[in-house]
C-alpha cells in the first residue's frame, strides 16, 4: 500500500518526503484554500517536490467545465492527477479525460455503487472517504473493504485510494484489507512513526554505547 499525504502545505510535504516513504499527494479546495497561493502555481511547486502522483481537484460542476479545468491542470506537470467528484458530470468528465490520456481520481465516494460507476468510467483512482463515514456513525472501513472486494472480483484496474483517514489504525486496517493507497493528513503521518518503546530503546542503546566508550578509555 502506497502512502500519500493529504495536504496543500509545502513544508509538510518536504518534511515527510525526507523520510523516503512518500509516494503521492492529494489536495482538495479546502486544503489549497488554506495556503493562500495561486492554485496552479502552487500545484506546480508541489508537483516538483514529489516523485509520484499529485492530485488537483476541479471546481466546475458540469462535464465540459471539469474537462476544461482538468486539461489545464494536467498541463502543469506530468505527475498531475485530476480529481473529479462522483456525480453524473464527474463520471462523464473522467471518461473524457481518460480518453485523452489523463489520470483521474474520483473523490467524495460514500458508496460501493459510486465506486462501481467510477471504475466503469475508467477512473485511475477511487477515493472512499472513511473518516467522514465514521463521523456519521457508519463504518468507513467496511465501505473501503467492500470496494476492494468488488474491484478484485470484477478485475477492475481502478486503484482504491483510502481517504479521509483520521488516525494510525485507519492506515493499518487499510493495509490489511488491501487498499492500494492511503492518503492522510500530516498529523496522522507523524503519529505513524511514533512508539514510546522505540524512544526508550534508542535512549538505552545510546547510554550503553557511551558507557562502553568511556570504559574503553579506562
Ligand atoms: C482526499 O483526497 C481528501 O482530500 C481528504 O482525505 C478529505 O479528508 P477529510 O475528511 O479529513 O477532510
Amino acid at each position: 500500500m502506497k502512502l500519500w499525504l493529504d495536504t496543500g502545505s509545502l513544508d509538510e510535504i518536504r518534511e515527510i518526503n525526507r523520510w523516503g516513504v512518500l509516494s503521492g499527494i492529494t489536495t482538495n479546495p479546502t486544503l489549497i484554500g488554506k495556503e493562500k497561493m495561486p492554485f496552479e502555481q502552487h500545484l506546480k511547486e508541489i508537483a516538483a517536490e514529489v516523485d509520484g502522483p499529485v492530485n488537483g481537484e476541479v471546481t466546475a460542476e458540469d462535464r465540459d467545465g471539469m474537462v476544461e479545468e482538468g486539461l489545464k491542470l494536467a498541463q502543469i506537470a506530468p505527475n498531475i492527477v485530476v480529481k473529479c467528484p462522483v456525480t453524473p458530470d464527474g463520471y462523464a468528465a473522467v471518461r473524457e479525460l481518460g480518453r485523452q490520456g489523463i489520470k483521474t481520481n474520483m473523490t467524495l465516494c460514500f458508496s460501493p455503487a459510486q465506486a462501481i460507476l467510477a471504475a466503469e468510467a475508467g477512473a485511475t483512482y477511487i477515493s472512499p472517504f472513511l473518516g467522514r463515514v465514521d463521523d456519521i456513525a457508519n463504518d468507513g472501513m467496511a465501505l473501503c473493504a467492500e470496494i476492494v472486494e468488488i474491484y478484485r472480483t470484477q478485475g477492475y484496474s481502478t486503484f482504491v485510494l483510502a481517504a479521509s483517514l483520521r488516525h494510525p489504525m485507519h492506515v493499518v486496517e487499510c493495509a490489511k484489507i488491501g487498499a492500494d493507497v492511503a492518503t492522510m493528513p500530516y498529523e496522522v503521518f507523524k503519529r505513524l512513526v511514533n512508539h514510546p518503546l522505540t524512544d526508550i530503546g534508542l535512549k538505552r542503546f545510546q547510554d550503553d554505547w557511551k558507557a562502553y566508550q568511556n570504559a574503553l578509555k579506562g
Side-chain angles (χ1 to χ4, degrees), residues 4 26 55 81-87 91 94 104-130 143-144 146-148 150-152 156-164 179-183:
W4 290 11
T26 44
N55 284 242
V81 172
V82 176
K83 256 172 115 175
C84 298
V86 287
T87 59
Y91 295 120
V94 160
T104 54
N105 171 10
M106 297 215 73
T107 190
L108 291 167
C109 172
F110 293 99
S111 81
Q114 292 173 325
I116 292 170
L117 291 169
E120 287 293 332
T124 317
Y125 300 92
I126 181 68
S127 291
F129 273 33
L130 277 62
L143 166 67
C144 192
E146 215 176 332
I147 295 171
V148 169
I150 291 167
Y151 279 17
R152 301 290 182 268
Y156 287 138
S157 54
T158 302
F159 296 113
V160 180
L161 195 177
S164 184
D180 299 292
V181 185
T183 191

Side-chain angles (χ1 to χ4, degrees), residues 13 62 95 99 112 116 131 138 149 151 153 166 168 213:
I13 291 167
D62 63 301
R95 166 64 65 198
R99 202 186 61 76
I116 292 170
N138 273 305
E149 185 189 343
Y151 279 17
T153 303
R166 300 278 159 80
Q213 295 295 308

